[in-house]
């Protein structure tokens, strides 16, 4: 083992060049497409971490490096193939060095086994870190999608519009409350128009959630108008056995806007010619 450690330490630059060549052979990965100037410091850090693990009784340096850099790598586009290559590349470099430095198979075997155990341990860390970072990023993307699919739009003084798109589940209804209620206060809204045109279908639970949103807005002094209600949604609303008192239902957004303006004694008039 000491022979391998000494060789890597004394010929680190040459080992890095070897790793760069191996990386270029890993077609379809970041190691094959990243410019050499950017790839060299990353491979240097990786091989130094591997060397530290070879010299340690409790190897963790390569795994720590993977964990700390994983979020940045994933945000840069690091994918499953790259994840596999992050183990394949040092494995090929180490195994090639073992064949050259230990021509006797009996002397080579324990060194190869040690390197293999080291990389298997790092592989577990890599997959765990990748899964955690991916889960976090998916959560961020879902939050962005939810915000985009439930924007609160001021239409006129005291009138805001909340167009709903897609399915409304328990998490989505909480997000609606979180975005709508502050907007009611900020815009001093007296009327909130909930446009259901983009909602394909709802069940009784969804009706109850939307009703809770309406009642919460009512407590802040805003009257809620449901528009864009399809026949199937209308049937669900009538059979859901929920309290719709104080909730206005109208055919479309045009009718909802006219109602909202009428609450302020305003009407939409054609411009005189």
């Amino acid at each position: 083992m000491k022979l391998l450690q000494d060789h890597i330490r004394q010929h680190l630059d040459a080992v890095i060049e070897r790793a760069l060549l191996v990386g270029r052979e890993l077609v379809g990965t970041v190691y094959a497409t990243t410019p050499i100037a950017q790839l060299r410091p990353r491979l240097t850090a990786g091989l130094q971490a591997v060397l530290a693990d070879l010299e340690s009784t409790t190897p963790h340096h390569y795994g720590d490096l993977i964990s700390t850099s994983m979020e940045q790598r994933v945000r840069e586009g690091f994918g499953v193939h790259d994840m596999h290559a992050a183990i394949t590349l040092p494995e090929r470099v180490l195994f090639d060095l073992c064949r050259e430095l230990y021509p006797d198979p009996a002397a080579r075997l324990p060194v190869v086994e040690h390197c293999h155990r080291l990389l298997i341990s790092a592989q577990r860390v890599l997959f765990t870190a990748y899964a955690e970072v991916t889960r976090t990023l998916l959560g961020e993307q879902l939050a962005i999608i939810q915000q985009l699919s439930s924007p609160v739009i001021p239409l006129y003084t005291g009138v805001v519009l909340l167009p709903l798109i897609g399915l409304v589940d328990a998490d989505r209804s909480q997000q609606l409350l979180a975005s709508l209620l502050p907007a009611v206060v900020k815009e001093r809204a007296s009327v909130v128009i909930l446009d259901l045109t983009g909602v394909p279908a709802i069940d009784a639970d969804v009706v109850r959630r939307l009703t809770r949103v309406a009642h919460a807005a009512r407590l802040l002094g805003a009257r809620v108008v449901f528009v864009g209600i399809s026949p199937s949604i209308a049937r669900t609303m009538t059979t859901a056995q929920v309290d719709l008192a104080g909730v206005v239902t109208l055919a479309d957004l045009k009718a909802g806007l006219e109602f909202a303006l009428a609450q302020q004694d305003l009407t939409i008039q054609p411009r005189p010619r």
Side-chain angles (χ1 to χ4, degrees):
M1 181 63 65
K2 189 175 185 303
L3 179 61
L4 176 63
Q5 297 167 1
D6 291 344
H7 180 87
I8 295 175
R9 189 183 306 104
Q10 295 169 11
H11 304 90
L12 183 60
D13 289 341
V15 175
I16 292 170
E17 293 303 318
R18 182 192 292 246
L20 287 169
L21 292 175
V22 172
R24 285 300 187 244
E25 297 173 3
L26 300 175
V27 179
T29 72
V30 294
Y31 299 100
T33 58
T34 302
I36 294 294
Q38 297 179 23
L39 189 58
R40 181 177 278 107
R42 295 182 181 181
L43 288 180
T44 300
L47 288 171
Q48 288 174 335
V50 170
L51 176 60
D53 282 342
L54 289 173
E55 297 174 336
S56 173
T57 56
T58 56
H60 61 85
H61 300 84
Y62 192 50
D64 290 348
L65 178 66
I66 289 171
S67 295
T68 56
S69 62
M70 182 57 70
E71 181 172 352
Q72 179 183 348
R73 296 292 178 265
V74 172
R75 291 185 184 278
E76 292 172 351
F78 191 94
V80 175
H81 293 298
D82 304 309
M83 188 166 57
H84 178 69
I87 299 299
T88 302
L89 192 152
E91 182 180 63
R92 284 182 53 179
V93 172
L94 290 176
F95 288 4
D96 286 348
L97 288 174
C98 286
R99 278 192 292 270
E100 296 171 8
L101 298 173
Y102 302 92
D104 181 3
R108 185 193 315 150
L109 180 60
V111 180
V112 170
E113 289 178 340
H114 182 78
C115 293
H116 181 69
R117 287 194 298 270
L118 185 156
L119 293 173
I120 288 298
S121 176
Q123 186 179 53
R124 295 192 191 99
V125 174
L126 187 150
F127 274 84
T128 300
Y130 182 82
E132 291 177 353
V133 170
T134 302
R135 190 181 304 113
T136 298
L137 294 182
L138 287 175
E140 293 176 0
Q141 293 167 0
L142 179 60
I144 293 172
I145 291 172
Q146 289 177 336
Q147 290 174 1
L148 292 175
S149 61
S150 305
V152 180
I153 306 169
L155 291 182
Y156 191 77
T157 304
V159 181
V160 296
L161 167 67
L162 179 58
L164 301 184
I165 301 172
L167 299 176
V168 181
D169 56 14
D171 291 338
R172 181 84 181 282
S173 63
Q174 289 300 317
Q175 193 269 334
L176 293 179
L177 281 171
S179 59
L180 176 61
L181 300 186
V184 170
V185 174
K186 178 183 176 182
E187 301 296 334
R188 298 182 180 180
S190 58
V191 177
V192 174
I193 302 175
L194 266 67
D195 189 354
L196 304 179
T197 305
V199 179
I202 60 175
D203 56 22
D205 287 338
V206 173
V207 172
R208 295 186 186 95
R209 295 184 192 116
L210 292 177
T211 303
R212 283 195 289 269
V213 172
H215 289 332
R218 183 79 172 176
L219 290 174
L220 295 176
R223 193 167 188 182
V224 175
V225 182
F226 286 166
V227 303
I229 298 174
S230 67
S232 63
I233 291 179
R235 285 193 296 270
T236 303
M237 294 181 75
T238 56
T239 59
Q241 296 181 344
V242 294
D243 182 12
L244 293 174
V247 177
V248 178
T249 58
L250 297 171
D252 52 29
L253 180 57
K254 176 177 178 293
L257 181 56
E258 290 174 345
F259 173 86
L261 293 177
Q263 303 309 297
Q264 303 182 37
D265 294 326
L266 298 172
T267 58
I268 299 176
Q269 300 266 348
R271 179 180 298 177
R273 296 183 179 178

